[in-house]
């Protein structure tokens, strides 16, 4: 890869809690990551991305809420205690979790503000990578039940949780089919 930006794009990976270490993510690093999110492109500059940052006791509360929702919404025949505990562990095994929220302005088609927020998430992922921090965008069905916990406004929607941690995972090549299969050239 010819430069640092392209290298980050190529080598950014999903890193999950199994590889997270206990090393805390500094407030300064969290702020760099949030500034990167805020630099995302947006039609009419509506800047629809919103975040709730969970650390320390906040992660405990998030984990408890995810477990509680899992228990509440899972049909009895599908419920397992292990899954309930794992919901909480995703939060408590992370150093930081961001709730990713779209704030729909009503001035644009919703898909544009969803797309802009996804651009912000990619910036988060790349900025985290550049700081040696791993993470991933998690989208369990439970995120559709977090309105009260996150104190969302009626025009807001949670579209995932971004779990982060310093990690000891090995670099991995991306698993992708060739781009040539996804492109048609018209000369
Ligand atoms: C919109 C979106 C939702 C995702 N949701 C999840 C998820 O719920 N759980 C998970 O483990 N990974 C999730 N991922 C991460 C993908 O699984 C991951 O990006 C993909 O496997 C490619 O791996 P890489 O990120 O290492 O290139 C999500 C990614 C995107 C873009």
């Amino acid at each position: 890869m010819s430069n640092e930006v392209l290298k980050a794009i190529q080598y950014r990976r999903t890193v999950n809690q199994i590889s997270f270490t206990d090393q805390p993510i500094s407030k300064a690093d969290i702020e760099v990551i949030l500034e990167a999110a805020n630099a995302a492109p947006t039609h009419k500059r509506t800047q629809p991305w919103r975040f709730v940052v969970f650390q320390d006791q906040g992660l405990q509360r998030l984990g408890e809420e995810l477990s509680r929702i899992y228990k509440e919404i899972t049909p009895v025949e599908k419920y397992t205690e292990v899954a309930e505990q794992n919901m909480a562990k995703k939060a408590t095994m992370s150093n930081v979790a961001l709730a990713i929220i779209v704030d729909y302005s009503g001035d644009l088609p919703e898909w544009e503000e969803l797309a802009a927020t996804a651009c912000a998430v990619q910036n988060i992922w790349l900025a985290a990578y550049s700081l040696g921090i791993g993470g991933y965008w998690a989208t369990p069905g439970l995120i559709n039940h977090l309105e009260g916990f996150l104190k969302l406004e009626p025009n807001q929607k949670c579209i995932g949780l971004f779990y982060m941690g310093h990690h000891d995972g090995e670099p991995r090549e991306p698993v992708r089919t060739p781009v040539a299969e996804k492109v048609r050239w018209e000369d």
Side-chain angles (χ1 to χ4, degrees):
M1 279 292 143
S2 51
N3 66 46
E4 292 303 316
V5 174
L6 291 174
K7 248 189 242 168
I9 291 169
Q10 198 65 16
Y11 288 102
R12 171 217 59 81
R13 286 282 73 77
T14 286
V15 180
N16 68 31
Q17 287 86 353
I18 295 167
S19 306
F20 290 170
T21 64
D22 290 338
Q23 183 186 343
I25 299 176
S26 69
K27 177 113 191 279
D29 279 357
I30 298 170
E31 281 169 354
V32 167
I33 289 167
L34 292 170
E35 287 292 349
N38 201 37
T42 165
H43 192 185
K44 290 195 183 169
R45 301 209 173 105
T46 61
Q47 304 165 62
W49 43 83
R50 301 287 183 275
F51 304 103
V52 180
V53 183
F54 292 95
Q55 309 176 86
D56 305 317
Q57 290 305 308
L59 288 167
Q60 291 286 343
R61 289 195 296 277
L62 174 64
E64 282 163 19
E65 181 65 5
L66 291 171
S67 285
R68 190 193 68 72
I69 296 169
Y70 170 82
K71 202 168 178 184
E72 187 177 286
I73 69 169
T74 307
V76 183
E77 64 277 12
K78 291 204 175 145
Y79 168 89
T80 68
E81 204 176 315
V82 174
E84 183 188 334
Q85 285 164 1
N86 283 343
M87 289 300 155
K89 278 192 193 158
K90 299 240 159 113
T92 56
M93 287 175 71
S94 301
N95 290 135
V96 173
L98 303 178
I100 307 160
I101 296 158
V102 192
D103 182 86
Y104 292 112
S105 66
D107 294 340
L108 291 171
E110 287 194 353
W111 75 264
E112 294 203 53
E113 295 191 309
L114 181 59
T117 306
C119 291
V121 176
Q122 177 72 341
N123 280 4
I124 287 173
W125 222 326
L126 292 171
Y129 167 85
S130 78
L131 297 167
I133 294 164
Y136 69 102
W137 183 352
T139 50
L142 304 183
I143 60 173
N144 295 317
H145 301 267
L146 286 172
E147 307 86 6
F149 179 72
L150 294 173
K151 305 186 184 79
L152 299 187
E153 303 289 335
N155 67 317
Q156 296 181 334
K157 185 168 166 55
C158 175
I159 60 162
L161 296 161
F162 198 91
Y163 290 120
M164 285 189 274
H166 283 283
H167 67 101
D168 54 16
E170 293 296 320
R172 287 177 284 116
E173 291 289 331
V175 179
R176 301 290 188 273
T177 54
V179 69
E181 294 173 7
K182 298 155 185 155
V183 181
R184 190 179 75 243
W185 295 68
E186 300 218 6
D187 295 328

